[in-house]
Amino acid sequence: MKRLKKPPLVRKWYYCPYCHTKIAVYDNTAKAAGVYIKCRTCKKEVEIRI
Ligand SMILES: [Zn+2]
């Protein structure tokens, strides 16, 4: 059975706190802690906390 209605997902950008580059996309169902992404612009590791 196909889902006719999509859940209302709101997508947002996660910005690097150092250089404000967009580094990840998340939606409003996301929960994250202890996830690290290395920013390609400033080469710093950023912990994703949502
Ligand atoms: Zn950065």
Side-chain angles (χ1 to χ4, degrees), residues 13-24 37-48:
W13 279 103
Y14 197 94
Y15 290 90
C16 173
Y18 302 103
C19 65
H20 303 285
T21 301
K22 294 169 180 175
I23 54 174
I37 292 184
K38 195 171 187 180
C39 175
R40 277 180 287 171
T41 305
C42 67
K43 314 284 188 198
K44 287 180 180 175
E45 263 188 6
V46 178
E47 185 179 5
I48 307 297

Side-chain angles (χ1 to χ4, degrees), residues 20-39:
H20 303 285
T21 301
K22 294 169 180 175
I23 54 174
V25 191
Y26 63 98
D27 65 36
N28 56 326
T29 65
K31 281 175 187 169
V35 179
Y36 294 84
I37 292 184
K38 195 171 187 180
C39 175

